[in-house]
Amino acid sequence: PGDPNGFVLNPRLRAVPKAITGSISGTITNPTHRPLAHAIVGEDTVTSTAVDTADGSFVLAFLESGSYTVAVQDTLAHSILVPGAEVTAGADNSLGALTLE
């Protein structure tokens, strides 16, 4: 408290049966500056994952069926926003190659 350089963490645990989930995947073409990918519903971040800096791949897994916004941002504030990424149970929705701008 009172430390302007401190962190306030609000951890959350999400449990969803694997049989009713799907995933969103993609490849960042310029992953040099350690990007993170997030799946967002409304104003809530549902899950996040680091992007593999070797090949740029990421998978946002164990998502319930529905529509998500995928946001990816790196340490230099380069980003991309992909609204309307659909998830179907038992399937992967590949967004293909994405470039951070």
Side-chain angles (χ1 to χ4, degrees), residues 40-67:
I40 303 167
V41 174
E43 294 183 14
D44 294 328
T45 299
V46 178
T47 192
S48 299
T49 189
V51 173
D52 186 327
T53 56
D55 66 4
S57 64
F58 68 90
V59 177
L60 296 161
F62 305 107
L63 298 170
E64 293 184 60
S65 294
S67 183

Side-chain angles (χ1 to χ4, degrees), residues 24 38 40 58 67-72 80-86 93 95 98:
I24 300 171
H38 310 278
I40 303 167
F58 68 90
S67 183
Y68 295 82
T69 296
V70 175
V72 183
I80 189 166
L81 196 65
V82 181
E86 294 294 326
N93 177 1
L95 301 178
L98 305 170

Side-chain angles (χ1 to χ4, degrees), residues 29 34 50 56 59-60 73 75 79-80 88 99 101:
T29 60
R34 296 179 303 206
V59 177
L60 296 161
Q73 185 172 9
T75 57
S79 64
I80 189 166
T88 304
T99 301
E101 298 179 9

